[in-house]
Amino acid sequence: MRKITILIALFIGVMFGCQNSDLELAPTENLQSKDQLIPLRETFDFTYNGKNYSSPFYMKNDTLMILEDEEVAVIYDRLQELPDLATYVTPNGDIEYYDTYNDLQNKLPQSPMHNSPRFASQYTLNVYEHANYNRDRTGKMQSFKMPILLPELKSYGMNDMISSCAIINSQNPGTIGSVTFFRDPNYQAQSITFTYAFPLGDPTWNNYVFLLVENFHNYKVKKKINWNDRISSLKAF
């Protein structure tokens, strides 16, 4: 039997698995001249304006996702062109889209301790120049005590340079928080938001770790553009 090896890049985040929209296929290996590549079919699911959409898809030329449901494909393509598209990654890994960040704010989960200075001051947001928290390559890292509003990252030497991030805490308060990254300075253009509530219990971190985004490459800003090295401002609460 002929063997076809397909490498699938999977994103692992906060208590959630990969999203089909985030799949990236690396070049195939061990293919002989007469071998045929069988398309990989999965289901891509997302929510927009309170409605759930789902479509089987396959990867073309190893990296291009083709949605087979024409109606869903049209909606998804239109979403990717919205200038202020807000992407929300839920704690369980689902993807929700909103026309703007303001629309998303009204939907974010809240906690009685959400804005408590006593709890918020214990959280630290770390942003890294490279994927996997600079563990594979030496790179820049910046730490910010939360809550934090950063209308620009240029003065920190991190503009369009963030590839991964983590939120850690010296204690385990169990409160709900969120962090939003924007493509442009002053919280403009497209955004991507993550929320967290409980520590992950990851043994590779000394403190409680609440959010792990291993590689922003796994999330799309728009068609053919991902979030790796695209962040210019952020908000973390």
Side-chain angles (χ1 to χ4, degrees):
M1 179 181 295
R2 291 191 292 269
K3 294 183 179 180
I4 300 176
T5 302
I6 301 178
L7 302 179
I8 305 177
L10 299 176
F11 170 81
I12 303 176
V14 180
M15 299 181 293
F16 54 83
C18 81
Q19 291 295 313
N20 293 327
S21 61
D22 300 328
L23 290 178
E24 297 283 349
L25 297 189
T28 57
E29 298 177 352
N30 302 330
L31 287 178
Q32 304 299 319
S33 59
K34 295 182 181 180
D35 286 339
Q36 294 182 354
L37 179 62
I38 301 175
L40 174 70
R41 278 176 166 78
E42 302 256 356
T43 300
F44 171 46
D45 307 296
F46 64 91
T47 300
Y48 174 60
N49 280 342
K51 182 177 179 180
N52 297 323
Y53 296 90
S54 179
S55 172
F57 78 94
Y58 65 92
M59 304 304 294
K60 181 178 181 181
N61 298 329
D62 297 334
T63 57
L64 180 62
M65 183 177 68
I66 305 297
L67 298 180
E68 297 181 342
D69 187 304
E70 294 184 1
E71 178 184 358
V72 176
V74 169
I75 294 172
Y76 180 71
D77 287 344
R78 181 168 58 84
L79 283 174
Q80 300 306 298
E81 298 305 320
L82 291 176
D84 298 313
L85 177 68
T87 301
Y88 173 44
V89 183
T90 70
N92 64 0
D94 294 335
I95 296 291
E96 299 179 4
Y97 293 115
Y98 297 84
D99 290 338
T100 68
Y101 174 66
N102 288 336
D103 292 338
L104 168 59
Q105 279 186 303
N106 296 326
K107 303 293 183 179
L108 287 179
Q110 297 291 317
S111 163
M113 296 297 185
H114 188 75
N115 295 313
S116 170
R118 181 168 68 90
F119 285 110
S121 62
Q122 300 168 355
Y123 287 94
T124 300
L125 169 65
N126 293 338
V127 294
Y128 303 86
E129 181 180 0
H130 302 304
N132 195 26
Y133 326 108
N134 289 349
R135 291 174 177 173
D136 302 325
R137 300 171 57 189
T138 300
K140 294 182 179 180
M141 187 272 282
Q142 288 285 346
S143 295
F144 305 103
K145 289 294 183 181
M146 298 168 58
I148 184 72
L149 297 174
L150 293 179
E152 56 86 18
L153 287 165
K154 185 177 181 179
S155 60
Y156 296 92
M158 296 296 290
N159 186 58
D160 289 340
M161 291 183 64
I162 296 175
S163 295
S164 59
C165 77
I167 291 180
I168 60 176
N169 197 319
S170 60
Q171 300 183 34
N172 177 14
T175 186
I176 295 175
S178 66
V179 56
T180 301
F181 301 91
F182 297 83
R183 187 179 180 190
D184 288 351
N186 297 312
Y187 323 118
Q188 299 297 310
Q190 296 94 340
S191 66
I192 183 167
T193 298
F194 301 87
T195 57
Y196 58 89
F198 302 102
L200 301 178
D202 191 315
T204 63
W205 295 81
N206 293 328
N207 294 304
Y208 292 101
V209 57
F210 283 74
L211 176 67
L212 292 174
V213 181
E214 186 178 16
N215 193 345
F216 276 100
H217 182 277
N218 296 323
Y219 290 93
K220 299 291 187 296
V221 177
K222 57 188 299 184
K223 187 176 291 186
K224 298 182 180 180
I225 298 178
N226 60 64
W227 274 100
N228 185 57
D229 295 340
R230 303 282 180 180
I231 295 168
S232 294
S233 57
L234 64 87
K235 297 179 178 182
F237 300 99

